[in-house]
Amino acid sequence: MPARRSISWWWLVLVFTLATAAEADQTLIPRSVLFGNPDKAGPQLSPDGKMLTFLAARDGVLNVWLAPVDDIAAAKPITDDRRRGIRNYLWTYDSRYVAYIQDKDGDENWHIYVVDVQTQQTRDLTPLTGVQARFQHVSPKHPDELLVAINQRDPRLHDIYRVNLESGERRLVLENEGFMGFICDDDFEVRFAQRMTPAGSSELLERGRGGVWKPFAQIGPEDTLTTYAAGLDTNGKVLYMVDSRDRDTSALVACDLETGQQRLLAENPRADVSDVLAHPATKAVQAVAFNYDRKQWKVLDPTVEADLAYLRAVADGEVEVVSRSLDDRQWVVAYLLDVGPVRYYRYDRSAKKAVFLFANRPALEGLPLARMHPVILRSRDGLELVSYLTLPVGCDPDGDARPAEPLPMVLTVHGGPWARDNWGYHPWHQWLANRGYAVLSVNFRGSTGFGKKFVNAADGEFAGKMHDDLIDAVSWAIAEGIADRKRVAIMGMSYGGYATLVGLTFTPEVFACGVDWVGPSNLVTLMEAAPPYWQPMMDLMARRIGDHRTEEGRAFLRSRSPLTYVDRIQRPLLIAQGANDPRVKQAESDQIVAAMQGKGVPVTYALFSDEGHGFARPENSLAFHAVAEAFLAAHLGGRYEPIGRDFEGSSIEIRVGGEHVPGLSEKLRN
């Protein structure tokens, strides 16, 4: 009898545990947790190591907060942005100012602002209308000044200015003669510049005495996306280059500018240099990262080896050193996971002790998040496609990254296209997997990080072999029993939005539906309407995509434009657009929506009047994802959270097609 009671008791415990786990698996993660503002993010140490800043919401808008380095609970906001939120900021070397950039409603005409951390007074250092300013360089040798790049004289070219932080006075340092970018040293001297040639190659030039430019390195067209100057050491005597010449993957090379000798620091046969860890004072590179399917670090400087070994044992996740004090006694370290928030620690090097600071999204803790699996696929012509697969929690009982039965699937396509997908926490993967979908992200040819042969294989292949790679990935997922052939969606932003439109026009029967977020529909008008400051790299784009400046090139671009084939669209389409997007202008979405309406093809079009290329305001992000979630549920059969209050504070305007999304027409009427 006692044994029977014990067995019954443990059986009940097991049943209850399994039932509780199954219920947890079905928990609908709120969109606000995934797409709202982070709780805290972007921590940075002041150069003197006495203070810590981070981004957090102030009245619902991301701002910079300041705290004593050892008392995060005493943090107070020092900026007062009221609309778009701050996302990019830095400390000046006097530890007195924080500088940040902000634009107007997504137009990317960035202004540079500076705030005094003691008085909290904020000033606009570049109060210029219709002009874009960029951070160029900060230096401990000139702690009260910034170097900035401004395209006021010629909207195509950014000149270099020296700006006094106290007075705001700007002084011209260098007038841009047609260069894509510059490398400056800590004495605020412009030392190197890179420019494209009409043939699609590039050249790196060194600025000598009297401001005369002389050739330093010739970079052939096959190396233009994988070879570039990365920066100088503090003394200005060593130039670090990421260099793929005479090899496939890019290596890190140190060039001694006094002797002319070059030294290979690190290389990897499968992946390009993806990141470096440099000493905060000397700027000597201490470790190099390579990322094939997961990020791996190679330590070059033994003085940090013990630190990194200790930090790897502190917490789970990939270790990233995100900030260091100038004396290098304190670090801020991030731990990245696929199934949890980013966790930040402050590390005291002298004591060899790391103290937890905060998680960026603590609301994710304890939620049923899904593992991201790296998978290596093969294209039809033999290329390795590093991809990432996420499955709904509970559908893969044996843990082999294969569901018990085929699922509806969303193929997500990254932007760029000269960018890549990475392993780690991704809000789209968690959101879609939680709603019941398999999620697959593919590093198609042209994605960066896998060597020059891989990136060059995409030349002239928009809507060609680049799209074939995506179709091959879908075919793989179907063959592996992951995806239900009849319930596959395609979704992406920027180039990913273009790929969505290509999917529904070039392969109209493959996808059940598509979600295009700021994707170009016509490659000719995309190139013609490019921002003026893209002109220095237009020869590069012409070589990689097609040349809109010739009739032959225009004909080719039209042949690779979804707008040309609107009448082929058979499946539902959702389009989202920022009205102020300077890269993919509103006309790109307007024209394909109008063409679809002219052909009687159903489409839903969401326009956001205060956004640009991607959405900065969380109110708009929540509104977009609420519509997308209901749209996908209607056509793939997954779960969805009702729109509810997710339109509050958003500028969303449904131009057409509200009737094609469940609950949307009713929401708009109310």
Side-chain angles (χ1 to χ4, degrees), residues 285-575:
V285 175
Q286 298 177 299
V288 185
F290 299 92
N291 186 354
Y292 183 68
D293 58 345
R294 293 283 298 270
K295 194 170 188 177
Q296 295 182 332
W297 285 92
K298 179 178 180 179
V299 177
L300 304 180
D301 183 348
T303 64
V304 298
E305 197 155 14
D307 299 293
L308 295 174
Y310 165 78
L311 290 170
R312 283 192 289 269
V314 168
D316 293 333
E318 293 185 350
V319 180
E320 296 282 348
V321 180
V322 298
S323 182
R324 298 161 81 170
S325 60
L326 190 59
D327 63 10
D328 207 27
R329 294 181 180 178
Q330 297 188 76
W331 296 1
V332 172
V333 182
Y335 291 84
L336 282 62
L337 297 165
D338 58 341
V339 289
V342 180
R343 298 181 176 91
Y344 294 98
Y345 286 72
R346 180 171 61 87
Y347 171 54
D348 184 325
R349 290 192 75 204
S350 300
K352 289 291 189 288
K353 182 178 180 181
V355 178
F356 178 72
L357 290 173
F358 52 76
N360 70 331
R361 294 182 183 270
L364 292 172
E365 304 279 8
L367 294 179
L369 301 179
R371 291 284 177 189
M372 176 182 278
H373 304 278
V375 291
I376 313 301
L377 316 181
R378 285 277 181 182
S379 69
R380 63 191 69 180
D381 57 354
L383 293 181
E384 289 188 351
L385 308 177
V386 176
S387 306
Y388 299 96
L389 174 68
T390 302
L391 299 174
V393 173
C395 77
D396 176 21
D398 59 2
D400 66 348
R402 301 294 185 273
E405 59 184 20
L407 298 169
M409 187 179 85
V410 180
L411 178 74
T412 66
V413 187
H414 69 68
W418 304 295
R420 64 162 293 168
D421 281 309
N422 295 287
W423 178 90
Y425 171 83
H426 193 297
W428 273 13
H429 275 248
Q430 296 300 336
W431 167 55
L432 294 168
N434 181 255
R435 271 48 174 173
Y437 309 118
V439 192
L440 183 62
S441 297
V442 183
N443 283 305
F444 48 88
R445 72 190 66 205
S447 301
T448 53
F450 307 100
K452 66 186 180 188
K453 292 179 183 177
F454 190 82
V455 76
N456 293 337
D459 286 4
E461 294 297 341
F462 273 47
K465 293 180 181 179
M466 296 168 77
H467 186 63
D468 289 346
D469 291 346
L470 300 178
I471 298 303
D472 292 348
V474 171
S475 298
W476 171 85
I478 293 169
E480 290 290 317
I482 295 167
D484 178 345
R485 180 186 303 273
K486 295 182 179 180
R487 294 190 293 166
V488 178
I490 183 170
M491 175 176 178
M493 174 189 168
S494 192
Y495 176 85
Y498 165 80
T500 296
L501 298 178
V502 170
L504 268 62
T505 51
F506 284 71
T507 51
E509 297 182 354
V510 171
F511 299 102
C513 62
V515 179
D516 155 33
W517 186 4
V518 295
S521 63
N522 183 338
L523 296 179
V524 175
T525 54
L526 172 75
M527 302 279 273
E528 288 178 335
Y533 41 83
W534 282 18
Q535 289 304 312
M537 63 179 181
M538 196 53 71
D539 288 323
L540 171 66
M541 296 183 67
R543 176 182 173 86
R544 301 286 177 174
I545 305 172
D547 196 343
H548 67 289
R549 299 166 297 190
T550 69
E551 189 50 49
E552 180 183 4
R554 292 169 68 86
F556 174 75
L557 291 171
R558 284 193 291 269
S559 75
R560 299 299 177 91
S561 295
L563 184 64
T564 305
Y565 309 104
V566 166
D567 56 348
R568 295 181 182 176
I569 298 177
Q570 303 175 17
R571 305 292 165 79
L573 177 62
L574 168 64
I575 294 177

Side-chain angles (χ1 to χ4, degrees), residues 570-599:
Q570 303 175 17
R571 305 292 165 79
L573 177 62
L574 168 64
I575 294 177
Q577 177 69 46
N580 305 306
D581 191 339
R583 309 184 202 185
V584 179
K585 292 185 168 59
Q586 182 183 330
E588 292 299 317
S589 292
D590 286 351
Q591 60 190 340
I592 196 166
V593 169
M596 291 177 70
Q597 288 182 295
K599 299 286 186 179

Side-chain angles (χ1 to χ4, degrees), residues 20 30 106 219 248 392 461 481 561-562:
T20 302
I219 302 166
D248 180 36
E461 294 297 341
S561 295

